[in-house]
Amino acid sequence: MSTAQASRHRVVGAHAFRGLRTTEHVFTVPLDHGNPGGEQIEVFAREYVSAAHPAEVAGRLPWLVFLQGGPGGRGARVTSLSGWMKEAAKDFRILMLDQRGTGLSTPADRSTLPLRGGPAEQAAYLSHFRADSIVLDCEAIRRALSSGPWTVYGQSFGGFCALTYLSLAPHGLREALITGGLAPLDGPAERVYRATYARLAARNAEYFAWYPDDRARVTEIVEHLRATDERLPDGSRLSPERFQLVGNFLGGNTRVDSLHYLLEDAFTRGADGTRLSDSFLAQVHASVTRAPNPLYAVLHESIYAQGEASGWAAWRVLDERPDFRPDAAEPLLLGEMVCPWLFEQDPALAPLAETAHALAEKSDWGSLYDAGRLAENSVPVAAAVYRDDIYVDRDLSLETAARVRGLRVWETADFHHDGITDDGEGIFARLLAMVRED
């Protein structure tokens, strides 16, 4: 490693426990990769290696970079190898990034962003936090580690990043695996939300068919919240529309039935009459607050924006879906929709409301994908497409798959968006076999 590389990469810790070894890395990268001599930020990454590999063998294993869902999510903190990581660790060193702005990387949140200036300056800063910058961070890290082309595994938004990687830096990839993460390559964000509202409505219907009493319970909770001031543990009000966000439970095989357990715990009777229970309010708060990952809300619609403003697309499309409105007779539960009222109601987001509005109005976003390069792709790629995914639409996914040369699709109705939580070992093994087929 050269002196220049060494100055941009340092190891800050190493640990061994429960059948694995971890090494903690910090990399210095440009805020704007188009201006490498300008402001620098740090990106933290944790390396996971199975203890079954002797140290001298582990150091020769190929790298696999996991690109997690989000945006705005830090890398997973695991205490043992299980699921897809257990399978991957048989053959790889796994590198888990805290994508820029998250976790132990240079933070971007309500405390640090005001140091940039006002909302316009904060929005300009955050314009460097999309998939293109994440990919170029990966390339800087790959060079710092003196690695050849490596394997990437993208889940959800991480799959979007993998498509950007194939567009911007395919020379850095040996192969790419994608689960629930084939983004539309073009078109406005509205087409995404029209599709996902429709799939979410079908998922609501499926859930209420399994648990008919929960249909009445959801309506009862919404009506109660219209009339009663209920407060979450952080002191903020639980509004009907904020409660609807518990529909995120519907996006998985492993989580969907947990929604029933949440709802059955809703009400309690006390000296002041019928109220929502402390247990219920605590669980709802954990589900709907964006305190742990504010960038998820602030940057969410920007992941679809190319050459035009997102303009709060999910909120605008909601006008076409009165069945999801909180004043509907039997309101449906919402999913991965970020609406402007969230920045008024979530204390973790309120200081960033003007910044979020500035990003929603930004119309000069650059391209995230190179359709021409993807049409000529030579990197082996395999993707799992979940037929009933309420977050990443099946039809839009297959449209994208058809535009990436050589991309192999495994379409399945056996899993929802959290498939790698349900059977990570099996899904990872299948996709890896697909990219390595002759």
Side-chain angles (χ1 to χ4, degrees), residues 17 20-23 46-50 63 75-79 81 85 89 92-96:
F17 52 92
L20 60 82
R21 295 191 299 273
T22 66
T23 304
R46 183 173 277 112
E47 172 188 350
Y48 291 97
V49 178
S50 171
W63 289 100
R77 271 63 173 163
V78 304
T79 56
L81 292 171
M85 291 184 70
F92 294 98
R93 288 180 282 176
I94 300 168
L95 195 64
M96 186 80 66

Side-chain angles (χ1 to χ4, degrees), residues 211-294:
Y211 297 105
D213 292 345
D214 287 0
R215 174 62 276 175
R217 178 59 58 89
V218 166
T219 302
E220 183 182 10
I221 293 169
V222 170
E223 290 176 348
H224 174 83
L225 291 171
R226 289 178 191 146
T228 308
D229 187 340
E230 296 279 9
R231 297 282 160 168
L232 295 170
D234 64 1
S236 63
R237 180 172 176 260
L238 179 59
S239 64
E241 59 270 25
R242 202 169 174 202
F243 162 68
Q244 286 177 275
L245 294 177
V246 300
N248 276 308
F249 281 96
L250 299 174
N253 281 33
T254 61
R255 299 179 70 231
V256 64
D257 297 297
S258 299
L259 178 58
H260 174 69
Y261 295 135
L262 170 69
L263 296 173
E264 72 178 5
D265 203 22
F267 288 105
T268 187
R269 285 189 178 276
D272 55 351
T274 299
R275 299 300 298 261
L276 294 178
S277 71
D278 287 344
S279 173
F280 174 80
L281 290 169
Q283 293 175 76
V284 170
H285 180 249
S287 178
V288 304
T289 182
R290 286 300 166 194
N293 56 344

Side-chain angles (χ1 to χ4, degrees), residues 199 385-387 389 392-399 411:
R199 292 205 183 272
V385 174
Y386 305 131
R387 192 168 301 162
D389 196 330
V392 181
D393 179 69
R394 173 259 187 194
D395 294 342
L396 294 179
S397 295
L398 294 182
E399 174 189 298
E411 183 182 350

